[in-house]
Amino acid sequence: MTAGGLKAVAEDMRNVLGLKYDFMEWHGRPPDTYFIGEYQEVEPLTEDGEQEAVFILTGFSRKSFSELERCRERIRKLYHPVEGRVRSTESGSVVAVYYGSSIPLATGDAEIKRIQINLQVKEWEALK
């Protein structure tokens, strides 16, 4: 996943959806509800320059599962499973993000709720 793709997802999380978001780990004191992002690249099967990754958003909340479900629904609407969200990066590359799936996860702690949201990310770098 390129730096442009990571930046596009971070901007969407913070600026478009208004969610508290950080990459790989939260820095500072965590708010009541926040999301952490990480990715796993998929080995390319074609020679068209497409890069693909599964972007894993893990949401945590001290409020309720309903709060995480409201966030999940907003994320699903932004990254529609079929239409996705397509945008260009500063370098001229194109990033397409699609909602994939979600899984509520047990934490073993009654105060903390957790959900995993999987996004499909496809990127095409600009030709030089």
Side-chain angles (χ1 to χ4, degrees):
M1 196 162 167
T2 66
L6 291 172
K7 184 177 179 183
V9 171
E11 287 174 352
D12 285 348
M13 292 295 116
R14 295 179 185 130
N15 303 333
V16 177
L17 295 168
L19 298 174
K20 306 293 184 191
Y21 167 82
D22 220 331
F23 182 66
M24 291 303 293
E25 63 186 10
W26 188 260
H27 297 92
R29 185 166 193 242
D32 284 343
T33 302
Y34 65 98
F35 287 82
I36 300 296
E38 58 189 289
Y39 66 89
Q40 180 177 356
E41 291 182 330
V42 176
E43 189 172 336
L45 299 175
T46 62
E47 297 177 6
D48 63 358
E50 175 188 334
Q51 298 176 49
E52 191 171 345
V54 176
F55 195 86
I56 303 160
L57 275 174
T58 305
F60 300 90
S61 183
R62 291 191 178 275
K63 294 181 179 180
S64 66
F65 274 112
S66 318
E67 176 67 18
L68 290 174
E69 284 297 321
R70 281 191 290 276
C71 294
R72 182 195 62 80
E73 190 57 32
R74 290 171 45 213
I75 292 166
R76 187 180 187 284
K77 284 181 182 176
L78 181 65
Y79 300 122
H80 189 274
V82 176
E83 297 171 8
R85 178 169 166 83
V86 181
R87 54 190 289 204
S88 296
T89 66
E90 292 172 0
S91 69
S93 297
V94 175
V95 178
V97 183
Y98 302 86
Y99 180 89
S101 62
S102 67
I103 307 165
L105 301 167
T107 63
D109 183 341
E111 290 184 29
I112 300 174
K113 286 45 171 188
R114 182 172 64 166
I115 192 168
Q116 177 179 313
I117 300 168
N118 301 314
L119 304 174
Q120 295 298 118
V121 180
K122 297 182 180 199
E123 298 181 75
W124 295 266
E125 290 191 66
L127 298 176
K128 304 218 175 197

